[in-house]
Amino acid sequence: MKSVQWVKILLCLILACVNVFLFVVSWGVDYRILVAREHIRFRQEMPTMDSWINSPFGKLKNYVFNVTNAEEFRSGRDSRLKVKEIGPIVYRIVGFNDILDRNETNVRYRKHRYRVVEFLPEESVAPDVLNWTITSTNNVILGAATKVKHTAPLAAFGFDAALMMEDIFVTDSVYYFLWEFTRPLLQTLSRISNIRPNVAVLYNALKEKEEVYTVNIGPKRGIENFFRIETLNGEVIIREQLPHTRQYDSNSCPFNVSGALDNSLFPPFVQPDTPLSIVAIESCRVLPLTYQRQERYNGLDTFRYTLLQSHQKPPGCLDTSYGVKLPDGMFDVSQCVINDAPSAFSMPHFYGSSYNWSQHYEGYTPNAEDHEPYILLEPVTGIPVTEKYRFQSNIPIPDLRRFSSRLSRFSNMMIPSFWYEFEMGQLPGFVTSLMWINVNIVQHIQPYCMVLFLVLALWSVLKAIRVACGDLGYVVLFRKLCGDLGTVTALETKFQATSASPDVAVK
């Protein structure tokens, strides 16, 4: 044989061996596991890496409340505050995850949540909404009164006299309340203490916080532990809560970040009963996710999780804010806001709370569709496809009967500052395409691939034999291997005559 024939034979045999090897490997593995193991290696070359690095991304929708009967409430003609919601006031948000260190078992990165903050006038309730004038409660005075009642109750008698020049209601622009809210009292105190003078909600909420995560990656840690947190800022306890951990049982307080997630990626193959929780950095706690139901979204079957259940009882370490017992469906965040102000989070419009808001307000319309926070998670890949992260910030007011009448009218109220919704942006098209292939193709293609490997292996062997026999055709090769079945041998049987045949005459 010529050398060219030997090369062809060798190539065919190699191809046959490769396909036999692929068939044997495919027999003992699950393609979905192989894809997942590559995904959790979290390599720089992964096609989803760019989307993760530039996250979180989406729209931050903010809502404030305009008090329409301030004079009537102040004079006592109205016993309830009438409020009108103003919003959405929309900002585009783009974050950035800066990888600091990586090895085969973990990655350490710094999260910048608000690298880009851009006002979107055309998507807001009106392009000039920031210039609208609204009336709001003076939350500086109400928050200070709550603090005084809890820490120095005897000072209540001189409190109102010291703040006689401060009105209990403030009228100014939406921009002022979101970005520049300050009062003479705060400016004075800031000169002699660490109190910050600007208490505007977005000005403080969108400030950069130190967030350095160390999370699990790689097959050695296990697929079920992918991207679960080891430490946050080098600690297993959220830094703002460290001074308070001695007061509470660490197992019952949601301050330990070990095993939680940062809400950007989740482990693959999530089941409805898989324990999941996320670090809510704006409230300095860990939030458990509660599975609700399956939901179809953009051609994918997802799991819907809520971040706060209706009438959910707060943990014992978060059920009181400056002596005020919080209703179900709320939790204390005073250790996590500016100046340690009295503050509690709830769902917007007090949805799912046991607080009887109708006793103090008119104008709220709580409902699940508009006010329930949730995440839609694709369970096979562990990638969130959308989320609406919704919370309302409130000031819990205690019984202020010892204060002046203008303050005592607010006794036992929950005073909303604002509420917000972070709506996750659409994933890039190629990411959703890869997810769709992973979910709908990979899990069904394995048997077809195994049949293809067998066919290719058989063809390669036959091709090698044909080349070795001089490039014979398949029919000739078959005859050569199995015999010439095209030739038919006839069997002849002869019989001897026993008597002469009579002649038969026909006339």
Side-chain angles (χ1 to χ4, degrees):
M1 288 190 295
K2 298 180 180 179
S3 59
V4 175
Q5 290 178 300
W6 282 112
V7 171
K8 287 183 178 180
I9 292 171
L10 181 62
L11 291 176
C12 288
L13 292 177
I14 291 174
L15 181 60
C17 291
V18 169
N19 280 281
V20 170
F21 173 77
L22 291 174
F23 175 82
V24 172
V25 170
S26 298
W27 186 271
V29 300
D30 187 330
Y31 282 10
R32 296 180 304 167
I33 301 296
L34 288 179
V35 173
R37 288 172 66 87
E38 287 304 308
H39 170 64
I40 66 173
R41 293 182 195 276
F42 202 63
R43 291 173 171 154
Q44 190 71 33
E45 301 79 17
M46 292 294 290
T48 56
M49 182 61 71
D50 184 67
S51 176
W52 176 82
I53 287 177
N54 294 286
S55 68
F57 55 91
K59 296 173 184 175
L60 183 64
K61 302 178 181 180
N62 305 277
Y63 300 81
V64 294
F65 299 104
N66 180 32
V67 177
T68 61
N69 67 332
E71 291 301 324
E72 292 81 355
F73 186 84
R74 182 191 285 112
S75 64
R77 295 196 302 272
D78 285 351
S79 61
R80 298 189 296 176
L81 285 175
K82 296 179 181 178
V83 296
K84 180 181 179 182
E85 183 179 88
I86 305 296
I89 305 154
V90 185
Y91 289 83
R92 183 174 74 94
I93 300 293
V94 180
F96 178 71
N97 293 304
D98 183 17
I99 296 178
L100 306 175
D101 186 36
R102 185 210 315 256
N103 56 46
E104 64 178 1
T105 59
N106 59 60
V107 61
R108 186 168 65 94
Y109 61 94
R110 176 175 281 108
K111 183 180 286 291
H112 305 272
R113 291 184 182 269
Y114 309 113
R115 183 181 59 167
V116 176
V117 179
E118 178 189 357
F119 177 58
L120 301 178
E122 300 304 324
E123 298 195 30
S124 300
V125 65
D128 62 343
V129 64
L130 292 177
N131 297 322
W132 288 8
T133 299
I134 63 171
T135 298
S136 176
T137 52
N138 189 336
N139 293 340
V140 173
I141 301 299
L142 292 170
T146 300
K147 267 191 168 184
V148 167
K149 171 67 185 301
H150 180 66
T151 58
L154 294 179
F157 298 103
F159 179 83
D160 203 53
L163 301 174
M164 190 175 300
M165 300 303 294
E166 284 280 356
D167 195 349
I168 200 62
F169 290 99
V170 179
T171 300
D172 216 307
S173 68
V174 170
Y175 182 88
Y176 171 80
F177 288 104
L178 292 180
W179 294 102
E180 294 181 346
F181 188 19
T182 187
R183 307 303 298 166
L185 170 65
L186 291 173
Q187 292 173 344
T188 301
L189 292 176
S190 67
R191 298 188 185 101
I192 59 175
S193 68
N194 293 326
I195 289 179
R196 299 177 188 175
N198 189 345
V199 294
V201 289
L202 284 189
Y203 174 80
N204 289 285
L206 301 186
K207 274 188 172 181
E208 185 83 359
K209 284 190 175 184
E210 181 73 358
E211 290 184 74
V212 178
Y213 293 89
T214 301
V215 301
N216 295 320
I217 62 170
K220 288 186 179 180
R221 295 290 190 178
I223 291 177
E224 68 280 4
N225 291 317
F226 173 66
F227 239 69
R228 292 192 182 272
I229 298 171
E230 290 185 353
T231 61
L232 170 59
N233 298 323
E235 304 280 355
V236 296
I237 303 296
I238 296 174
R239 181 174 294 171
E240 290 83 353
Q241 302 292 0
L242 278 172
H244 312 285
T245 51
R246 295 179 181 177
Q247 306 174 33
Y248 309 106
D249 179 10
S250 59
N251 294 323
S252 62
C253 283
F255 303 152
N256 192 319
V257 301
S258 298
L261 300 127
D262 78 334
N263 198 28
S264 63
L265 292 172
F266 292 78
F269 308 121
V270 170
Q271 299 297 321
D273 59 351
T274 302
L276 299 175
S277 57
I278 63 171
V279 172
I281 201 67
E282 74 290 337
S283 56
C284 299
R285 65 164 295 180
V286 173
L287 279 171
L289 302 186
T290 302
Y291 174 80
Q292 283 188 314
R293 60 180 180 270
Q294 290 192 27
E295 190 167 311
R296 189 80 173 169
Y297 182 84
N298 281 356
L300 295 169
D301 290 322
T302 66
F303 288 172
R304 177 176 170 131
Y305 294 88
T306 181
L307 282 71
L308 192 63
Q309 292 179 278
S310 180
H311 294 89
Q312 180 175 325
K313 287 187 176 298
C317 50
L318 298 175
D319 66 352
T320 304
S321 181
Y322 283 91
V324 179
K325 188 72 172 179
L326 299 177
D328 293 346
M330 293 189 185
F331 58 90
D332 177 50
V333 295
S334 58
Q335 306 300 328
C336 202
V337 298
I338 186 172
N339 298 331
D340 291 335
S343 186
F345 272 14
S346 68
M347 289 187 273
H349 287 231
F350 302 108
Y351 171 73
S353 169
S354 61
Y355 171 57
N356 184 15
W357 60 266
S358 60
Q359 182 181 352
H360 300 129
Y361 294 99
E362 295 179 22
Y364 293 119
T365 56
N367 65 88
E369 182 177 355
D370 296 327
H371 303 137
E372 184 178 62
Y374 67 89
I375 296 173
L376 293 186
L377 179 67
E378 199 293 300
V380 174
T381 61
I383 297 176
V385 295
T386 191
E387 69 173 90
K388 293 195 175 180
Y389 196 96
R390 301 159 165 163
F391 282 102
Q392 178 174 289
S393 179
N394 312 285
I395 301 177
I397 307 297
D399 189 340
L400 299 179
R401 282 180 295 179
R402 292 187 178 182
F403 291 76
S404 65
S405 59
R406 69 171 188 157
L407 289 173
S408 62
R409 294 184 58 79
F410 292 91
S411 292
N412 305 313
M413 294 178 67
M414 293 286 171
I415 307 295
S417 301
F418 82 125
W419 74 272
Y420 67 92
E421 171 188 290
F422 175 75
E423 181 181 12
M424 176 181 162
Q426 290 287 337
L427 291 170
F430 74 92
V431 174
T432 54
S433 297
L434 289 175
M435 291 172 63
W436 188 91
I437 291 172
N438 194 1
V439 173
N440 297 290
I441 302 298
V442 171
Q443 66 175 333
H444 302 298
I445 202 174
Q446 185 164 355
Y448 299 101
C449 287
M450 293 176 69
V451 170
L452 178 63
F453 295 149
L454 279 179
V455 171
L456 287 175
L458 178 62
W459 176 86
S460 300
V461 171
L462 291 176
K463 179 67 176 178
I465 295 173
R466 286 179 56 208
V467 173
C469 295
D471 283 332
L472 297 177
Y474 283 108
V475 174
V476 176
L477 178 63
F478 185 77
R479 288 175 177 175
K480 193 176 184 67
L481 294 175
C482 302
D484 190 0
L485 299 179
T487 303
V488 179
T489 303
L491 299 179
E492 180 180 2
T493 302
K494 295 183 178 181
F495 297 93
Q496 293 182 353
T498 57
S499 59
S501 300
D503 293 333
V504 178
V506 178
K507 294 183 181 182

